[in-house]
């Protein structure tokens, strides 16, 4: 099968698989590779690459999309995940994997891709953690977790430093081992300084409504608290605090970590429908705590000069 045909089949499949919930919010996908190159999704435009020289390019054939993950060891560098798309060249390590919709994704050190499913065919789009081996085999991971996630919801996945999978829920973070056992890092998350902005104006949505998350080498979690316009820090012992706030209409949707620096993907009107205008920027929290704007994208998809 040629790459072009494979891509077409993936896109056609996603048109059927993507859920209304998955298409009702801007992207959370942001990663940084070993060379410091930044990749993130601009909803409606595709995957952006921002290199060390400050050049912005778009990776074809992506257009929409919600999630990205790195495959550090290149387990999928010579093959394609069943329901997702490797958009890096054949053989490239780390491999870059793209999700057009349906489920967040993460590749763990065991070389398997993890995502969410909700039916017997293990198709993306649900609340059950599922494993996709490079061989193509699919399997449930933590059946005992299903009752918990069906109650709390799942809004993000990330690889942890000890080979565990970290799961973001709107107001919780869980830690899942590859043998299926799991624990709760924190629930519920309560922020005294939340700038409340309920997604879709639905007050039943739990705050801070986490989306993308990342985990540093000692197990500290950094997560986008989209409905509180902030980034949440959660220590390994479950202590919670706010480390970054965004002025409206901006709100964090995704987080990546590189050499101790934290990169935050933010969108305008992130709790509203696309018609309100979704435009991304990336900010960085340096190791010394200094906050800077890395880049901002115009509605036309071009770089806006950083002030």
């Amino acid at each position: 099968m040629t790459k072009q045909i494979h891509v077409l089949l993936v896109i056609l499949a996603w048109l059927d698989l993507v859920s209304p919930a998955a298409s009702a919010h801007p992207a959370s996908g942001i990663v940084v590779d070993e060379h410091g190159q930044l990749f993130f999704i601009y909803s409606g435009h595709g995957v952006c690459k921002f290199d060390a020289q400050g050049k912005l390019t778009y990776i074809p054939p992506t257009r929409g999309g919600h999630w990205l993950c790195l495959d550090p060891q290149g387990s999928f560098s010579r093959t394609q995940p069943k329901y997702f798309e490797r958009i890096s060249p054949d053989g490239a390590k780390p491999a870059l994997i793209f999700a057009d919709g349906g489920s967040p994704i993460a590749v763990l050190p065991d070389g398997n891709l993890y995502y969410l499913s909700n039916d017997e065919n293990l198709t993306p789009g649900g609340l059950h953690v599922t494993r996709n081996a490079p061989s193509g085999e699919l399997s449930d991971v933590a059946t005992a977790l299903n009752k918990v996630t069906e109650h709390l919801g799942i809004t993000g996945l990330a690889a942890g430093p000890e080979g565990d999978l970290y799961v973001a829920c709107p107001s919780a973070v869980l830690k899942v081992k590859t043998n299926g056992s799991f624990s709760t890092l924190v629930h519920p998350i309560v922020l005294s300084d939340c700038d409340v902005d309920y997604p879709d104006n639905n007050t039943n949505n739990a705050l801070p409504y986490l989306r993308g998350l990342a985990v540093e080498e000692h197990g500290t979690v950094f997560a986008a608290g989209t409905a509180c316009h902030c980034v949440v820090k959660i220590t390994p012992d479950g202590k919670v605090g706010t480390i970054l706030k965004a002025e409206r209409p901006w709100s964090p949707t995704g987080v990546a970590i590189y050499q101790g620096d934290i990169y935050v993907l933010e969108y305008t009107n992130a709790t509203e429908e696309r018609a309100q205008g979704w435009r991304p920027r990336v900010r960085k929290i340096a190791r010394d705590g200094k906050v800077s704007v890395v880049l901002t994208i115009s509605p036309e998809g071009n770089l806006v000069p950083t002030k």
Side-chain angles (χ1 to χ4, degrees):
M1 180 184 297
T2 66
K3 182 176 179 62
Q4 290 79 6
I5 293 174
H6 177 86
V7 171
L8 178 60
L9 291 176
V10 169
I11 293 173
L12 291 174
W14 277 118
L15 291 175
D16 290 330
L17 293 173
V18 67
S19 66
S23 60
H25 62 80
S28 298
I30 178 170
V31 298
V32 185
D33 72 9
E34 59 187 353
H35 304 296
Q37 298 182 118
L38 177 67
F39 299 85
F40 64 96
I41 298 176
Y42 181 2
S43 294
H45 291 72
V47 177
C48 302
K49 175 183 175 182
F50 188 68
D51 64 24
Q53 289 70 47
K55 181 181 179 182
L56 179 73
T57 55
Y58 287 83
I59 300 176
T62 62
R63 288 291 297 169
H66 285 85
W67 293 279
L68 284 176
C69 75
L70 284 178
D71 171 13
Q73 303 305 317
S75 299
F76 290 87
S77 65
R78 297 289 183 184
T79 186
Q80 288 285 352
K82 185 172 178 62
Y83 293 115
F84 305 96
E85 176 71 10
R86 172 178 50 78
I87 58 175
S88 49
D90 288 350
K93 297 181 182 181
L96 183 63
I97 300 177
F98 167 75
D100 196 16
S103 171
I105 52 177
V107 174
L108 298 192
D110 65 2
N112 295 309
L113 173 71
Y114 290 79
Y115 69 99
L116 307 178
S117 69
N118 205 27
D119 62 23
E120 60 183 11
N121 295 319
L122 303 182
T123 51
L127 300 170
H128 302 164
V129 177
T130 307
R131 179 187 293 116
N132 181 174
S135 65
E137 180 183 0
L138 305 179
S139 58
D140 287 319
V141 175
T143 55
L145 179 66
N146 292 344
K147 289 185 179 180
V148 176
T149 55
E150 286 170 2
H151 172 67
L152 296 179
I154 299 181
T155 49
L157 299 175
E162 297 181 354
D164 298 326
L165 179 70
Y166 284 73
V167 177
C169 307
S171 190
V173 174
L174 312 174
K175 185 164 65 171
V176 182
K177 295 189 177 297
T178 55
N179 65 6
S181 63
F182 66 94
S183 59
T184 300
L185 181 60
V186 61
H187 177 249
I189 296 172
V190 179
L191 300 177
S192 61
D193 55 354
C194 177
D195 176 14
V196 178
D197 186 11
Y198 288 106
D200 302 318
N201 298 310
N202 182 352
T203 57
N204 292 320
N205 284 320
L207 300 174
Y209 211 89
L210 300 185
R211 286 188 180 163
L213 73 165
V215 190
E216 57 88 57
E217 60 182 347
H218 300 297
T220 297
V221 176
F222 299 91
T226 302
C228 289
H229 295 269
C230 70
V231 173
V232 181
K233 176 182 177 181
I234 306 164
T235 64
D237 58 356
K239 294 180 180 178
V240 176
T242 298
I243 64 163
L244 179 72
K245 292 186 177 181
E247 76 284 5
R248 295 190 185 216
W250 298 98
S251 193
T253 62
V255 181
I257 299 173
Y258 175 68
Q259 294 185 348
D261 296 332
I262 303 166
Y263 291 82
V264 182
L265 176 63
E266 299 177 315
Y267 267 88
T268 54
N269 308 302
T271 64
E272 304 291 341
E273 295 292 331
R274 184 189 296 271
Q276 299 302 313
W278 293 344
R279 189 162 63 91
R281 74 178 179 188
V282 176
R283 287 196 289 168
K284 181 176 76 172
I285 309 171
R287 284 167 288 181
D288 61 5
K290 182 180 179 181
V291 177
S292 60
V293 177
V294 177
L295 61 90
T296 304
I297 305 295
S298 72
E300 296 75 31
N302 301 315
L303 278 176
V304 175
T306 299
K307 296 180 180 180

